[in-house]
Amino acid sequence: MADSNRERDLILAPNEYAFISDQTKGNINVYVGPYKTSLANTDKPVMFAAHTKRFEHCSLDESILPFVIAPEGWYVVMKNPPKDGNQPKTGTSNNLTELNIGRKVNIPGPINFALWPGQMATVLHGHHLRSNQYLLVRVYDEEQARNNWAKAVIKTKGSSDSSEDNPDEVVSKEDVPDLTMGKTLVIKGENVSFYIPPTGVEVVRDEDYEYVREAVTLERLEYCILLDEDGNKRYIQGPAVVFPEPTEEFIYKNGLRKFKAIELNEKSGIYIKVIAPYTENKVSYKEGDELFITGKDQMIYYPRPEHAIVKYGKKERHYAIAIPAGEGRYYLNRKTGKISLQQGPTMFLPDPREAVLIRRILNPKKVALWFPGNYEAIEYNQKLQELTKGDAQSFVEDSEIQAQMPESASLARQEENRHPAKKREKASKEIAVDEFDRDSSFTPPRTITLDTKYDGAVTINVWTGYAILVVSKTGTRKVIAGPQSYLLEYDEELEAVELSTGRPKSSENTIKTVYLRVLYNKVSDIVQAESMDYTQVNIELSYRVNFEDTSDKWFNVENYVKFLTDHLRSFIRNAVKKHNIVDFYAKGIEIIRDTVLGKAEESGKRPGRFFEENGMRIYDVEVLDIKLSDIGIENLLIASQQDVVRQNLRVASEKRKLEFTQEAESIAQAIAIAKSETTRQNIELEKKEVEKLLQLTLSKADAEIESKQRHLDAELAKQGTLNEINQAEVKRTKEKEELQLEIAQIELNQALEEIKAQVEAVVAKSEAVSPNLIAALQAFGDKALAEKMASSMAPLAILGGKSVAEVFANLFKGTNLSHVLDTFKDKQDPSA
């Protein structure tokens, strides 16, 4: 029963309070410590749940709550304040008072108090502001805000810090702003270092649930954009600390709210659309005007509200393109539709208001004809053709190609995010000052790689010995001879020629090409002819051809190979017809060369054969083979020639044998003479060598005798010195031994004296000990031993039924102590 009563006792310490509900009346009382009371059975502890706004039953321990405490520099935001302004009194029970339900007040610290039932309080830290921070406050009670505006706790930047009693002084505001319900105001850190809002005003949290907001600190070459609720934008350039107005917010892009100024140079620019009229440098611009600003006009560009940047994809800046020497780029005039060619070397920066870079598309047939074997070019032009999607135009803009590239296609366009998840800007721990960095190693110059293989105009590389015919749609034509590169204008094409192939050459098998070989060309053919004696002959030829005269004639004949071979076949057949087969078979090459190239002149050169139609000249001809159609005749001719060859070979062999014999004998004689001369020279050399060896031996003997004599003289001089050294060492040894003997004698005498003194001391001690002293000492010792034994053995004697004396007598019988025991026994016997 006593334990039950103790459980109903409510004990509150200072700064504690509890809500107790009277179940009979429904009232809720506030007990404020220090206080002790016993609760009735009808009293139930309760607690106020802020999220449900209801009282919930709980245990007695759970109902005990601490005071709301706001230290110096903090404040309390309390909802449902009491109408009389008084909180529950300490040390007593308080009945429920009337509350201003739905009201909210701000109470600066230091303060502590208990809450009435139904009240809610939040303790907040006073808002400390740096110069680049700010608060956004909102009026939630217009009347209270006006009445309490001057009660805000404010520490301004210019206030004195000497006051220790009231560091957070209350400053009365003479200029009261517009405090309409819902009005938002900005408290800037550049003016206020500490702030506690008055009643009627609350501090608005940001997206990260923080009260203090970061202003934007702009450095040089930086800017930010503020968007007002009315849709106007404000651009601010650094260096500056930017605080937004209550109706403004920062514009974010890619999670950032400050941006770098756009750096321009003479090779870059930006495309601007004017969206609002303005005047700058006495020049007026109206809405809709387009500007292209380059580094020549403005090296550093800051955006302004009247400008909108025209972008192609994600590119903001337009850069000049490098056109190397020998290359070019097509560009289309957007106003006139004319396509022009810009040739290199140059850095070409087209004005996007007028010029658009385009690429020319070649169909597969043209690519195969102009660039034989270049499958990469065919594939690339097919991709460009797909981009046009069946349009009639044969060009495509560079921007379209970039949009179709995998890199660009995989990046979705990002919209401007004005409310990203805010990240707190951290301060670096490193020292940030203006400095010069001087590298200890060599910094190589900036390097770029140009790959404009398919970007520019169609380039035809004419090799050495080749030529092309360029024809424009206006009818002009020109021949380009290599080696050089030629950039085709957009309306220019290459004229193709056909060449017969195979042997003999015919018009059935031809190839088409735009490249004409004009130097050192080679044309092979087979000519079938008949001799005077009606023998068929097949002649294999190879003509060497150059194109001369004016180049305008070179492409006049479409198939110059067929033209050449047809013309020369008639000449060769006519020449063969004038000779019988034996003569022609023997001198066929000479006959053909004279027919095709003409007779050799005095200089030994042949004039060749020139064609007026296209400026072609045959400067040489090679007869590769001459075959007869009749094998039998050919075999007879071969056999006849072989007999002649055999006879000639036999004669030549005998001649070579004679020449060999004569030459061999001459060589043998020369060898004998050479050997005799060699033997004589060897004897002379051996004689000279023996003489030199004798001289060397005599020189060595003389040198050895002289060396030995010097060695003996040195030994003799050395012996005298050694004798003197030995005598000195013997003398020193003798003196050392004598000194050691003297020291030993002295030490011996000292030892004898010490022994003698010890002996005399022992004798004196022995004389001092008399027999009486020895007996006395012995008696004292025996007595002490007997007494100790008696005390130790007494219990044993008692146990044995004998006296101590008897025990000792038996124990030491026959020893030197027996007389001591007898004496002790006599003393114990009273009859003695």
Side-chain angles (χ1 to χ4, degrees), residues 780-827:
F780 281 120
D782 293 343
K783 183 177 179 181
L785 177 62
E787 290 178 355
K788 186 175 292 187
M789 294 293 294
S791 62
S792 301
M793 299 297 294
L796 296 175
I798 295 173
L799 294 174
K802 296 181 181 183
S803 66
V804 176
E806 292 176 354
V807 173
F808 277 101
N810 293 331
L811 183 61
F812 296 103
K813 186 176 182 180
T815 65
N816 291 332
L817 295 177
S818 61
H819 70 278
V820 179
L821 294 175
D822 293 339
T823 304
F824 180 74
K825 184 178 180 181
D826 292 340
K827 290 181 180 181

Side-chain angles (χ1 to χ4, degrees), residues 225 231-235 237 271-280 283-291 293 301-310:
I225 308 173
N232 291 321
K233 293 181 179 179
R234 184 160 60 101
Y235 290 76
Q237 302 176 10
Y271 188 12
I272 301 297
K273 188 81 169 182
V274 178
I275 59 176
Y278 72 100
T279 301
E280 184 180 21
V283 178
S284 298
Y285 301 94
K286 62 181 181 297
E287 185 176 354
D289 288 346
E290 293 184 351
L291 308 175
I293 301 175
Y301 173 76
Y302 288 95
R304 54 185 302 158
E306 298 86 4
H307 285 179
I309 298 180
V310 180

Side-chain angles (χ1 to χ4, degrees), residues 11 146 355 404 451 510 542 610-611 675 698 773 819 822:
I11 302 175
R146 289 194 181 95
Q404 296 294 332
D451 185 8
T510 60
S542 178
F610 183 74
F611 294 83
K675 286 182 177 180
L698 292 175
L773 179 59
H819 70 278
D822 293 339

Side-chain angles (χ1 to χ4, degrees), residues 463-468 479 481-482 516-521 545-548 554-555 560:
W463 303 330
T464 303
Y466 285 87
I468 59 173
V479 176
L516 175 65
R517 183 69 182 261
V518 296
L519 291 178
Y520 315 117
N521 198 354
V545 180
N546 281 341
F547 282 81
E548 301 174 356
W554 292 352
F555 289 86
Y560 77 92

Side-chain angles (χ1 to χ4, degrees), residues 609-820:
R609 183 169 296 275
F610 183 74
F611 294 83
E612 292 287 346
E613 292 82 358
N614 61 348
M616 180 173 56
R617 180 183 295 276
I618 301 176
Y619 67 91
D620 197 5
V621 62
E622 296 177 1
V623 181
L624 303 177
D625 194 9
I626 298 176
K627 292 182 180 180
L628 302 182
S629 300
D630 192 336
I631 302 299
I633 297 174
E634 186 175 6
N635 290 336
L636 290 174
L637 292 173
I638 294 173
S640 175
Q641 290 180 353
Q642 287 178 350
D643 289 339
V644 174
V645 171
R646 288 192 190 98
Q647 294 175 3
N648 293 335
L649 289 176
R650 190 177 298 112
V651 173
S653 176
E654 294 297 330
K655 289 181 179 180
R656 286 195 299 270
K657 185 176 181 180
L658 175 61
E659 293 175 356
F660 174 75
T661 303
Q662 292 175 351
E663 187 69 21
E665 292 300 327
S666 299
I667 293 172
Q669 294 173 5
I671 290 173
I673 296 172
K675 286 182 177 180
S676 175
E677 182 67 21
T678 301
T679 303
R680 186 184 64 79
Q681 290 182 0
N682 288 338
I683 293 172
E684 292 292 333
L685 290 174
E686 288 180 359
K687 182 179 178 180
K688 292 180 181 179
E689 187 174 352
V690 170
E691 291 176 355
K692 290 183 179 180
L693 183 61
L694 178 61
Q695 292 177 1
L696 178 63
T697 303
L698 292 175
S699 299
K700 287 183 178 180
D702 294 341
E704 186 176 356
I705 292 171
E706 185 177 358
S707 175
K708 288 182 178 180
Q709 183 64 36
R710 289 181 179 178
H711 182 69
L712 291 174
D713 294 343
E715 279 295 325
L716 182 62
K718 183 179 179 182
Q719 292 298 323
T721 305
L722 291 176
N723 290 335
E724 293 178 359
I725 294 173
N726 189 27
Q727 290 176 1
E729 288 181 351
V730 169
K731 183 177 179 181
R732 284 196 298 273
T733 304
K734 182 179 179 181
E735 291 177 354
K736 184 177 180 181
E737 293 294 334
E738 290 177 353
L739 179 60
Q740 290 179 353
L741 288 174
E742 291 178 0
I743 294 172
Q745 185 65 41
I746 294 172
E747 291 178 350
L748 180 61
N749 294 336
Q750 290 178 350
L752 292 174
E753 291 294 333
E754 184 178 358
I755 294 171
K756 183 178 179 181
Q758 290 178 355
V759 170
E760 291 177 354
V762 171
V763 171
K765 290 179 181 179
S766 301
E767 291 176 354
V769 180
S770 62
N772 294 331
L773 179 59
I774 293 172
L777 292 173
Q778 185 175 2
F780 281 120
D782 293 343
K783 183 177 179 181
L785 177 62
E787 290 178 355
K788 186 175 292 187
M789 294 293 294
S791 62
S792 301
M793 299 297 294
L796 296 175
I798 295 173
L799 294 174
K802 296 181 181 183
S803 66
V804 176
E806 292 176 354
V807 173
F808 277 101
N810 293 331
L811 183 61
F812 296 103
K813 186 176 182 180
T815 65
N816 291 332
L817 295 177
S818 61
H819 70 278
V820 179

Side-chain angles (χ1 to χ4, degrees), residues 515-527:
Y515 299 99
L516 175 65
R517 183 69 182 261
V518 296
L519 291 178
Y520 315 117
N521 198 354
K522 182 179 179 181
V523 179
S524 60
D525 193 19
I526 296 178
V527 179

Side-chain angles (χ1 to χ4, degrees), residues 380-424:
Y380 183 81
N381 279 273
Q382 286 177 346
K383 290 182 179 179
L384 295 184
Q385 188 69 38
E386 293 175 0
L387 294 180
T388 61
K389 298 179 181 179
D391 293 343
Q393 63 181 10
S394 59
F395 63 85
V396 62
E397 294 186 15
D398 275 2
S399 59
E400 297 178 15
I401 296 175
Q402 295 170 2
Q404 296 294 332
M405 291 300 172
E407 235 179 87
S408 302
S410 61
L411 298 176
R413 185 176 181 179
Q414 300 180 358
E415 297 292 335
E416 293 185 354
N417 184 7
R418 296 173 183 167
H419 302 286
K422 181 181 176 182
K423 296 182 179 179
R424 183 174 297 279

